[in-house]
Amino acid sequence: MTTVDPVTQEIIEGKLTATVDEMGVVMARTSMSPVIYEVLDFACGLLTHTGELVAQMNGITLFTGTFGTQVKSLIALYGEDLEDGDILLTNDPYSGGTHACDFAIVKPIFFDGRILAYAINVAHYLDVGGSVPGSLAPNAVSVFQEGLRLPGVKVVRSDRFSGEILRIIRENVRLPDIAIGDLTAQVATVRVAARRMDELARKYGVDVVEAAFDHLLTVSEKQARAAIGALPDGTYEAEDIIDGDGVTTDPIAVRVAVTIAGDQLTADFTGCPPAVAGPINCAAGALQSAVRTIFKALVAPQAPSNEGWFRPLTVVAPRGSVFTAEKPSPTGWYYEGSVHASELVWKALAGLMPERFSAGSYTSLCVVYLAGKDAGGQPFIHIEPQHGGWGASEDADGANALIALTDGDTYNYSVEVIEARFPLLVRRYALNVEGGSGAGRRRGGFGVIRDYEVLEDGASAYCSFGRTQTPPWGVEGGAPGTPNLLQVEDRDGLIRNFGREPDIALKRGDLVRIITGGGGGWGEAGAREAESVRRDVENGYITKEEAKSRYGFEERVAV
């Protein structure tokens, strides 16, 4: 066995981190979609020759568990039929991925005639065809309504793009120039990774680099097992409700049992319902990511991610469930379903590790698709995640206007970019203090209100908001948070309310108002300090009347 001295190990690990970060910089600077270069809806990683993640940039949280499953599915598909200069593409949700809009570009990195590593870049495309602009029909009942799927094709052979694959993409998406531009940017990033890994192998040798990979994974595994082993053995359960699937508004009851036994943790989703008709299902790869997100927060939230951390984790779920959907179940809005898997594990562990986990958050990304034509007659598609209120923790109020659990290191658009690229004006962007948040000894964070004025006739919108009926949960007597809501207000002041809606006709002058909820509270509201309530009144977060009704502090909140 090759051994690596500590200094060399540290240098190689630093090189891995620098490489995935460089991939991210290249992607953000060269992509054509604002959902990529503004929102940063992508992530990059490096994996061993067997498909185990060794480095990943900060990015979409929900890609934490899909990289390995996607690369391993491609290894199984191609076997030995890979050559230096090949680059693969897959966007198949049933082969370890998420939904068809997330294109995974994977490059096997060869050195001295054999594969040393794999580089991967997964990015969200504005449109991949399907029944609606943006491809994510909230009422889709089949994956065949959700656009083009390319489940493991060679988009590059011998370092040359496949003309056939590019033509297929161009002819099946609504914004072909943007799609090909984003694809080219992804390919550039994995080529950067190949150059950096070549430099590493030439300097230290393949045996040392591979030994460094093994050491990194082994150390992470040991640290994860130690963190789990320090927790009390037992089974911790949680239940939740998903508010409809896009086809019906029927509540969907989901549950988990988290078992800690020694240095192992098992998350068992047995008992969750079968895949539903609508597209809030997620496939098994997304479920793995959803659970890994919380597991990582439990064992080592600040450490760089790699496969070693997750070796003590087992995820159990019957095939064909709402969290392990199979073809042809739709998965377009998978993040609206999979986030409930994350929240279930989070909720089960909140009391066990209060220093790491807060009360429930607004959960849903509250994404709205706005589409139509601009003043010049050119088509546009605007997609944007929204921030919301997170739950209170044992020692602090919840965070205001923070991105949802699924998205990690991503952002919404700046107002200037929206108004420059789309026929929209942002009329308001403020904390949603009107809706409030969960009262408690520590109160939940506040969501946001964001108003878009539509500047052209003939536009339309669709959405799929979660937590519109079932609010974020409180802990230890804390009050629940507040729900999410989409409103459309016309020039006459008529307001329509929506949650999961497949087609909202818009006209010039309409206001599209996104209202995200506040997080749950922690502890009894009566235990909140008078000074904290007084400060909330002074800051305009609550009124004097609310201070009295929620906290009983009428006389102590004079301002």
Side-chain angles (χ1 to χ4, degrees):
M1 295 281 297
T2 301
T3 58
V4 185
D5 69 84
V7 173
T8 300
Q9 180 72 35
E10 189 72 18
I11 291 171
I12 291 175
E13 290 183 17
K15 180 74 168 182
L16 297 177
T17 301
T19 298
V20 293
D21 287 346
E22 183 181 4
M23 293 170 70
V25 170
V26 171
M27 186 65 184
R29 289 183 175 178
T30 59
S31 62
M32 296 185 66
S33 299
V35 74
I36 294 177
Y37 65 72
E38 284 287 325
V39 177
L40 305 184
D41 193 347
F42 72 95
C44 304
L46 286 166
L47 302 95
T48 69
H49 72 278
T50 59
E52 291 195 282
L53 180 71
V54 290
Q56 178 180 351
M57 62 167 280
N58 290 330
I60 295 292
T61 310
L62 256 179
F63 295 158
T64 299
T66 60
F67 282 176
T69 53
Q70 286 173 304
V71 170
K72 287 174 183 176
S73 72
L74 293 171
I75 293 172
L77 179 65
Y78 279 95
E80 300 296 322
D81 187 24
L82 291 172
E83 299 178 358
D84 198 0
D86 286 346
I87 298 178
L88 311 175
L89 185 163
T90 183
N91 66 333
D92 184 22
Y94 314 111
S95 299
T98 50
H99 60 184
C101 284
D102 287 337
F103 270 36
I105 299 299
V106 177
K107 180 175 175 57
I109 299 173
F110 283 78
F111 190 84
D112 284 346
R114 65 184 180 92
I115 296 175
L116 169 65
Y118 288 89
I120 186 170
N121 176 317
V122 179
H124 184 101
Y125 280 40
L126 280 176
D127 183 90
V128 294
S131 61
V132 295
S135 310
L136 301 186
N139 60 345
V141 295
S142 168
V143 71
F144 298 111
Q145 296 172 291
E146 297 180 331
L148 175 69
R149 284 186 303 121
L150 296 165
V153 297
K154 290 188 179 182
V155 69
V156 173
R157 295 172 182 265
S158 301
D159 285 324
R160 295 176 62 89
F161 274 101
S162 167
E164 294 88 347
I165 299 299
L166 296 187
R167 283 195 294 274
I168 289 171
I169 295 172
R170 279 189 170 276
E171 292 301 319
N172 282 276
V173 305
R174 292 175 176 84
L175 302 171
D177 290 342
I178 290 178
I180 298 303
D182 291 341
L183 176 64
T184 303
Q186 286 185 282
V187 168
T189 68
V190 296
R191 284 174 168 166
V192 165
R195 289 197 294 272
R196 299 296 174 255
M197 290 303 97
D198 182 82
E199 293 167 359
L200 202 60
R202 289 187 185 281
K203 182 172 183 178
Y204 295 105
V206 171
D207 290 343
V208 170
V209 172
E210 290 184 336
F213 290 171
D214 290 339
H215 181 78
L216 170 63
L217 297 174
T218 299
V219 169
S220 297
E221 178 185 358
K222 288 180 178 178
Q223 292 176 349
R225 292 190 183 279
I228 297 299
L231 299 173
D233 285 359
T235 298
Y236 309 89
E237 299 183 350
E239 298 179 350
D240 203 355
I241 297 292
I242 302 175
D243 293 328
D245 65 357
V247 175
T248 77
T249 58
D250 296 341
I252 304 163
V254 290
R255 64 177 303 277
V256 73
V258 178
T259 299
I260 295 174
D263 61 0
Q264 305 252 0
L265 185 147
T266 300
D268 188 347
F269 293 88
T270 300
C272 290
V276 293
I280 57 91
N281 301 297
C282 69
L287 174 64
Q288 286 283 342
S289 273
V291 179
R292 286 183 173 199
T293 299
I294 312 308
F295 184 83
K296 187 65 164 53
L298 175 68
V299 299
Q302 303 301 326
S305 188
N306 64 66
E307 193 73 25
W309 293 109
F310 308 113
R311 288 175 176 171
L313 171 65
T314 301
V315 178
V316 177
R319 294 177 59 178
S321 77
V322 67
F323 295 136
T324 53
E326 298 181 314
K327 184 180 175 180
S329 293
T331 65
W333 293 82
Y334 80 96
Y335 46 86
E336 291 297 328
S338 62
V339 71
H340 282 273
S342 296
E343 282 261 308
L344 281 168
V345 179
W346 184 291
K347 187 176 182 180
L349 296 174
L352 182 65
M353 287 284 284
E355 67 273 22
R356 294 280 173 87
F357 298 110
S358 62
S361 76
Y362 80 116
T363 302
S364 173
L365 279 173
C366 297
V367 171
V368 176
Y369 275 77
L370 293 163
K373 292 185 178 180
D374 61 23
Q378 296 300 309
F380 75 91
I381 300 172
H382 173 57
I383 170 179
E384 182 181 15
Q386 300 295 338
H387 298 65
W390 278 56
S393 62
E394 188 177 39
D395 298 319
D397 292 341
N400 303 323
L402 188 66
I403 198 65
L405 180 61
T406 51
D407 254 31
D409 190 20
T410 61
Y411 307 87
N412 60 2
Y413 289 35
S414 67
V415 172
E416 293 79 7
V417 169
I418 290 174
E419 296 181 348
R421 288 194 60 111
F422 307 108
L424 302 169
L425 284 178
V426 179
R427 289 299 189 186
R428 176 167 55 159
Y429 191 28
L431 289 179
N432 177 24
V433 296
E434 299 168 20
S437 63
R441 183 175 58 83
R442 297 290 172 257
R443 62 157 175 78
F446 295 104
V448 302
I449 300 177
R450 193 155 161 115
D451 285 357
Y452 305 87
E453 181 182 346
V454 179
L455 301 183
E456 297 292 334
D457 285 322
S460 64
Y462 61 85
C463 63
S464 188
F465 284 20
R467 292 233 181 274
T468 54
Q469 301 297 321
T470 306
W473 37 272
V475 176
E476 293 185 1
T482 58
N484 304 306
L485 177 66
L486 175 70
Q487 292 183 335
V488 175
E489 180 178 353
D490 66 17
R491 288 179 173 178
D492 297 325
L494 178 66
I495 294 177
R496 295 174 286 163
N497 295 330
F498 303 98
R500 303 193 196 275
E501 187 66 30
D503 187 19
I504 306 169
L506 301 172
K507 59 184 183 298
R508 183 183 178 91
D510 284 348
L511 284 180
V512 177
R513 177 172 300 124
I514 298 169
I515 303 172
T516 66
W522 192 299
E524 298 289 343
R528 187 165 177 81
E529 302 87 345
E531 180 57 33
S532 296
V533 181
R534 181 180 297 112
R535 187 167 55 248
D536 281 352
V537 174
E538 291 172 349
N539 289 335
Y541 291 159
I542 59 175
T543 64
K544 292 181 180 180
E545 293 73 21
E546 288 170 331
K548 177 182 178 181
S549 62
R550 294 182 189 179
Y551 298 102
F553 283 139
E554 179 181 20
E555 297 172 354
R556 289 183 281 171
V557 187
V559 294

